[in-house]
Structures are given as C-alpha cells and as structure tokens.
Amino acid sequence: MIKKLIESYRRIRTEHALNHTYRHQYAFVGMGQHSLTNLYPVLFSLQVPLKYICVTTARKARLIGTKYAGIEPTTSLQRILDDETVKGIFVCAAPSSHYRLSSDILASGKSLFVEKPPCSSLKELDSLIGLHQKFHSPVAMVGLQKRYAPATTILKKRLCKEQVFSYDLHYVTGACPDGNIVTDLYIHPIDLVTYLFGKPDIIACEKVTSGTYLLMLRHGHIVGTLELSTEHSWTDAEESLKISTSAGVYNLRQMEELSFVAKQMSVCHLPLEKIMPRNKTIEYLYSRNNFVPVLANNQICSQGYYHEVKAFVDKVEGRRSVIRTGLENLRDTYRIMDYISGL
C-alpha cells in the first residue's frame, strides 16, 4: 500500500511538471555573466519558448547560433519588436542601456522584464511608468529577486501578524570599480526594507566614505538602520537583517537562512530569565538544504531568481501570478536612492 502511494505521488508530480507549458514566444536582450549564471538556467528549466537572443555584435550572434540550437540570434531589437509572435522580452544588458531599451519595449506594447536597475533616477522611472500606462503594455516588472526569495515570503507573512519595532541591516561587499554602486548594488537592500516595512522616510543619512553610507529610516512606527558599504571583501561579503518584534527577534542571513528567537517572558518589566535561566531556543523558519540536489535547494531558487522569472512568464500567459516588482512599486526605493546619490 505504501509503495503504491509513493508511486502515485511521483507520477502526479511528474505529470504536473510536464503539463506546465507555455504557449507564447519570448526574446532576451543581453548576454552577460549575470544572464548566463542566473537567468538563462531558469528559462531553460521552465522551458520558456525563447525565440530570439539580441546582442550588440555580429560575433556574439554567431556564437549564440552555435551554442543555442533553435534560438535566432540577432543584433536588431527592432526585429524583435516587429515580431507579433513575441509577447514578452527579457532585458539584462549594460545597466546604462536599460532605460533606453525598456522605453522602446514599452512603447511597442510588449511585456517587459528588465533586470535591475531599470533606470538611473526617479524621474526616469516615472517616465517608464508613463509609457507603461500610455501604451498598455500587459506586464512591466523589474528583476529585484529578493522580493521573490522563499525566506522573504515567509518573513513577510510573519511580520504582518506581529508588531515590528526596529531592524538592523548590513550589506557590505568588496570594491565595485565599474557602474553605480547605489543603483547597481544598494538598490537591493533599500528595496528589501521598503518591501518588508512600507514607505520609508529618512531620519538621518551619512556618507562615511565614497562607498559607505549609514542610514536611519522610519516606516511609520518602525525605525531601522542600514550599513551599506563596498569597503570590505567579496570573499566574505555580508548581507544580514535583524528584526525586533513584539514576539521576538528574526535573523535573515544571505537569503539562505531565516531564524526566529521568541521573546522571553517578563512580569512587571522583571525579566524572568534572570531568575530562572533557560536555554535559548532557535526556530529555523527557512534554511537551504545543501545535501539534497533538488530545485528548491538550488541558489537560483533560494535567491529568488526562479520565482521572479516564473511570476513574469505566468502573468504574460494569463495565469494567476503576483507581480511584486512592478514599476510603480519602486518609487519609494528610487526616492531613497536619489537622496543618497546626491550626497
């Protein structure tokens, strides 16, 4: 009996995966390290029908034609925009080109997935929002994958049920000699706290060095501090978030582990743990299992890449899907980035 139940479960699981297919055609603009490492593997895992890959040089186009059978390489974005069979376009090119590419795609009426940053300022973001509304593009979302990470989803649901007091975030990496560290790197932690805690107001902001900022934000009754720095090391980069609530303390590390320590009881502000010491109990709400090599334990999934791409394609296909990173959702994130960029 148990053997038959296991076989039935495996059969149902396999058939469910085989039945999850997509009918529309898609295109991808860009062929960089991030695309190859994080986005293309998700597209191929989901079996998203990719018709075109658009790159900047004929040499790259020839190489793509050799490597990816069945996908048409091109150096012309207009060719893709003119193809009515293409319903959605992924953009992951040089960050400085995202605004121009996104503007052209939105004006064509096609759905857009653009890797962060979609643009360099709140003014440009508002321009993209205007194009989205004017040309009625079905879907327009930004690749800020942390909003889609499993640990973030769990944390968001828990925080909705508790009173949050404060948080402390550290996002420290090594040097970043190319690009804009605010829009390319710090957009992630700023957007994460905006998503978790709501509209932020700046209490204080200090530019310590050319690559280090210390911020204090207020989200209604919630106060948080952020350390954002590129003065450390990529080998030992740190991304951690500690949240104090009425129920206890949450700790999120690198999107890989989410834990919770319940608040100790007190009577008339007298901490009972000083009278009757107890062992601290840590509840692990999420932790990536490095032993079992399944999709859920792959970093592509734990970091949110899989879920964000699936959310976009499902939405384009007309399936039930929640878009957490629409262009309109990022106005508060860009407002904070504009401020610290001006320091």
Side-chain angles (χ1 to χ4, degrees), residues 123-193:
K123 181 180 179 180
E124 289 185 349
L125 180 67
D126 285 337
S127 174
L128 292 178
I129 293 172
L131 287 171
H132 182 213
Q133 295 171 344
K134 178 180 179 180
F135 293 98
H136 306 290
S137 304
V139 187
M141 68 172 280
V142 181
L144 284 164
Q145 77 281 354
K146 295 185 189 301
R147 290 198 185 199
Y148 298 87
T152 305
T153 301
I154 295 170
L155 183 57
K156 180 77 169 176
K157 290 180 180 179
R158 298 273 297 220
L159 295 180
C160 288
K161 301 176 183 179
E162 301 174 18
Q163 182 180 1
V164 181
F165 299 134
S166 63
Y167 67 85
D168 181 31
L169 183 146
H170 297 270
Y171 185 92
V172 296
T173 70
C176 184
D178 59 333
N180 184 313
I181 61 171
V182 176
T183 56
D184 294 359
L185 291 180
Y186 299 160
I187 186 174
H188 281 301
I190 293 172
D191 185 69
L192 179 62
V193 299

Side-chain angles (χ1 to χ4, degrees), residues 166-171 193 197 215 223-227 238 240-244 250-252:
S166 63
Y167 67 85
D168 181 31
L169 183 146
H170 297 270
Y171 185 92
V193 299
F197 308 115
L215 288 83
V223 175
T225 60
L226 298 87
E227 177 192 12
E238 176 189 355
S240 63
L241 174 63
K242 178 180 286 188
I243 307 168
S244 175
Y250 292 90
N251 277 286
L252 177 61

